[in-house]
Amino acid sequence: PPPVVLAPGGGASTAAPVNAAGVTLATSSTAGRPIVAVATEGVRKRIKVNGVYLSPLPPSWADSDVKLLASPYGTVEAVKMEKLPDGQTGAYIDYQKDSAASSARGGLDGLSLMGARMRCVMQEEPEPPKPTRQFVIYVDELSMPSRPKVQPKLDDHELFVTDLPRKSQSEDGVRAWASNFGDVDDVMLLRDLDKRNIGKAYVRF
């Protein structure tokens, strides 16, 4: 279902059509003006602390007009104009400092301009992806408290070896060390994501 946003006057509204920037705008049930950009399609959003959204603006206004109106509150880094579905014009304003955006929101929200009462709200932006860490875990390293008791068989000839001697950190070193216990058929060293040995290996006799 479309997101529902509480609007001034105690009413609620469903999301309006997606605008040109791909952002859904909620509209007030009383004033019909854009209130705030809301998340769509499950995208997690957060407040863009250095950006405000201002509307409605005169259709004839250009970026320079918006910058002139917004610059008393701080240095404006960027202005992006857009046409709204109802024919009105809105503007995304990015400031150099977060405090400037906060001041602009307080100073421009509710200001009358050419017979129209403007709304100024904080912009929203997608949350940055959380950093991920990769791990290499081999099945024999997993803790198995309920590991079943299995009797050794005559054809068992592979071992998982940990805490290898420091001098046996190469395939040849492991092979030479393991050959003290029998004829070695194959050795597979375990490595981390950076291809470094981790002191563990499979040895087949």
Side-chain angles (χ1 to χ4, degrees), residues 16-202:
V18 175
N19 64 9
V23 178
T24 299
L25 295 176
T27 58
S28 166
S29 59
T30 57
R33 293 187 299 270
I35 301 302
V36 66
V38 297
T40 60
E41 299 181 358
V43 177
R44 295 181 64 87
K45 298 268 187 171
R46 68 176 186 180
I47 296 296
K48 186 175 181 179
V49 293
N50 72 318
V52 297
Y53 181 80
L54 184 64
S55 70
L57 296 170
S60 60
W61 272 33
D63 295 7
S64 57
D65 299 310
V66 177
K67 190 171 184 178
L68 185 64
L69 177 67
S71 58
Y73 302 97
T75 302
V76 177
E77 286 191 329
V79 173
K80 181 181 178 182
M81 307 287 290
E82 72 164 0
K83 292 293 184 181
L84 303 178
D86 58 3
Q88 295 178 333
T89 301
Y92 293 92
I93 307 171
D94 292 347
Y95 283 92
Q96 190 177 78
K97 295 183 178 181
D98 302 349
S99 57
S102 179
S103 298
R105 181 180 179 276
L108 296 176
D109 188 38
L111 185 69
S112 293
L113 179 66
M114 299 179 67
R117 184 172 177 269
M118 292 189 298
R119 292 286 288 149
C120 185
V121 298
M122 300 302 294
Q123 294 182 36
E124 287 188 338
E125 61 183 356
E127 286 187 357
K130 294 183 179 179
T132 58
R133 298 182 62 188
Q134 292 182 319
F135 298 89
V136 176
I137 299 179
Y138 295 87
V139 66
D140 291 283
E141 297 180 286
L142 298 177
S143 175
M144 298 180 62
S146 58
R147 184 190 298 271
K149 293 182 179 181
V150 179
Q151 296 300 321
K153 299 179 182 179
L154 293 177
D155 58 351
D156 289 340
H157 51 94
E158 184 174 279
L159 294 176
F160 176 66
V161 186
T162 64
D163 300 320
L164 289 168
R166 186 171 300 234
K167 63 181 180 180
S168 303
Q169 296 295 308
S170 65
E171 184 173 324
D172 291 340
V174 174
R175 188 180 294 273
W177 171 79
S179 62
N180 294 314
F181 309 101
D183 295 332
V184 178
D185 180 50
D186 193 21
V187 171
M188 189 186 80
L189 284 174
L190 274 59
R191 305 177 187 274
D192 60 17
L193 293 175
D194 296 322
K195 307 299 182 183
R196 295 174 300 192
N197 297 330
I198 58 177
K200 304 175 183 179
Y202 286 99

